[in-house]
Amino acid sequence: MPVVLDPDAAAVYKAFQEAGRPAYESLTADEARAYYAQARFATNPDAPELARVAPLAIPAPHGTIPARIYVPKQPRLQHGLSPALVFFHGGGWVIGDLDSHDVVCRQLADAGALVVISIDYRLAPEHKFPAAADDAIAATKWIAANARELGIDAARLSIGGDSAGGNLAAVVALAARDGDGPKIAGQVLIYPATDFAMTHGSHSEPETSVLLTHSVIRWFRDHYLNGAADIHDWRASPARATNLAGLPPAYVLTAGADPLRDEGDEYAARLKQAGVPVTYKHYPGQFHGFFTMGKLLQQANVAVSEIGAWLKGFG
C-alpha cells in the first residue's frame, strides 16, 4: 500500500534520521530505554493541568506493580465516582515507563473527563512473556476491586494502550470476558500489536519501516517471547483468539507508515464481524508512535481529543 507521510510527519522523520540516533537493535535494553526516555522532551506537548497526580503500588504475586493515577479537574461524576481508563504504555514490552507516557495520560484524563491509571508492568528481557500480560490482568482486577477507594465507578472502567500497550489492553479484554477480570466498558487500541506471526503485508513494505522499523520490531519480539511457540498464545497474539464475540466496544487506531497497520486493521474488522461495536480511525500520513508526539504532530492532539470524546460515551 503506497504511503505518503503528512508534511509534519515527514519533517519529524527527517529530523530523527539526521540526528544519527543509534538503532534500538544495536543497543542493550537499558541503553534503548535511556534513549526512548530522553526523546519525550522533544516530542511531548505541554500537559494540561489536573486536579491530582499520585503514585500507586498495586499488590501482585511477585511484589508490587508501580502505577500512577491521574485525576482531572472536572471528572464526570455519578454518585461521587468517576469513570476510569486503565492505560498500558507502549515500547515493545522492552522500553517505556510511567514517565514516557505521562503527558499523554494527562491529556486523556483531561479530554475524557475521567480518571486514568497508568500501569508500569514488568519489561523484557528481564521478565519475558507472559509477565507483562500477567501484570496487566492483575492490575486491572485490583483497580476494579478497589474502585470505590480510588474514586472510580467500576461499571465505567475502560482499558487502553498504544502499541505493546494496545496488545496488553486487547489481552485484558479477552481475559476479562472469559472470567479472569472485571466487566470492561470499552477498549482503546492505539496501533496495537495483535499477531506475532508478523506475516501481514505491512510488515514487509519499505514505506512502513519508519521509526518502528521491521528490524527493531523483531528485536522487541525476540526480547519478549520465550520462543516460537509463544506466537500462538492469545496472551501474546490476541488475534489468535478464535472467538472475539462478547468483547467490550473498541476504538481502534492505525497509522499508514506502521508495520502493525494491517494487523490492527484486521483485528478491528474481526471485532466488528463478531458483533463488537467498533470505532475505527486510520491516519494514513502518520507513522507508528505519533500519538505521543503532540508537540510536533497536530494529528496526535486530534487523536487524543477524539479518543477522549469516545470515552465520554460511557456514562
Side-chain angles (χ1 to χ4, degrees):
M1 177 188 298
V3 176
V4 178
L5 289 175
D6 293 341
D8 56 357
V12 170
Y13 180 43
K14 183 172 184 286
F16 268 89
Q17 289 177 303
E18 292 176 346
R21 289 164 53 88
Y24 285 143
E25 60 267 36
S26 69
L27 304 173
T28 66
D30 280 338
E31 290 169 339
R33 289 166 191 155
Y35 268 98
Y36 186 65
Q38 193 64 27
R40 75 181 189 275
F41 297 111
T43 61
N44 288 181
D46 293 335
E49 188 177 342
L50 302 182
R52 184 169 67 92
V53 177
L56 287 177
I58 296 175
H62 64 274
T64 59
I65 302 168
R68 187 176 293 166
I69 185 168
Y70 300 85
V71 181
K73 286 187 170 183
Q74 295 182 312
R76 291 175 284 119
L77 299 179
Q78 289 184 7
H79 307 293
L81 300 175
S82 170
L85 172 71
V86 182
F87 188 85
F88 309 106
H89 68 78
W93 306 270
V94 176
I95 61 179
D97 55 23
L98 297 177
D99 291 335
S100 67
H101 286 65
D102 178 75
V103 171
V104 81
C105 286
R106 292 171 186 262
Q107 288 182 295
L108 288 168
D110 182 65
L114 80 177
V115 170
V116 173
I117 300 180
S118 183
I119 307 302
D120 201 11
Y121 54 88
R122 287 173 291 171
L123 298 177
E126 296 90 343
H127 305 283
K128 285 184 170 286
F129 172 80
D134 287 345
D135 285 0
I137 293 168
T140 304
K141 289 165 70 174
W142 182 87
I143 290 165
N146 294 272
R148 183 167 291 275
E149 291 81 358
L150 295 167
I152 290 169
D153 180 356
R156 295 185 289 161
L157 181 66
S158 297
I159 52 176
D162 62 323
S163 192
N167 166 280
L168 295 174
V171 168
V172 169
L174 285 161
R177 179 200 64 182
D178 295 339
D180 192 15
K183 183 173 177 57
I184 302 297
Q187 54 179 323
V188 177
L189 311 180
I190 301 164
Y191 33 73
T194 63
D195 190 350
F196 268 112
M198 294 164 52
T199 55
H200 291 81
S202 55
H203 277 284
S204 58
E205 296 171 7
E207 297 90 346
T208 61
S209 196
V210 177
L211 296 191
L212 179 67
T213 62
H214 299 152
S215 55
V216 78
I217 221 172
R218 290 190 292 270
W219 184 78
F220 285 140
R221 176 199 63 194
D222 294 343
H223 274 59
Y224 182 47
L225 300 186
N226 300 283
D230 288 345
I231 292 171
H232 307 287
D233 192 318
W234 64 267
R235 296 171 301 164
S237 301
R240 295 302 171 117
T242 56
N243 178 18
L244 301 184
L247 289 171
Y251 188 106
V252 183
L253 180 155
T254 59
D258 183 357
L260 304 181
R261 181 195 67 217
D262 291 353
E263 63 193 77
D265 176 77
E266 182 180 274
Y267 196 72
R270 283 189 58 206
L271 285 168
K272 193 170 185 178
Q273 289 165 4
V276 177
V278 175
T279 298
Y280 177 70
K281 184 60 183 287
H282 180 61
Y283 289 82
Q286 294 295 322
F287 48 68
H288 187 95
F290 84 94
F291 185 69
T292 58
M293 298 185 181
K295 181 184 287 187
L296 307 174
L297 302 171
Q298 182 55 29
Q299 289 296 295
N301 301 316
V302 170
V304 168
S305 178
E306 292 188 352
I307 289 171
W310 184 81
L311 287 165
K312 286 179 177 178
F314 301 105

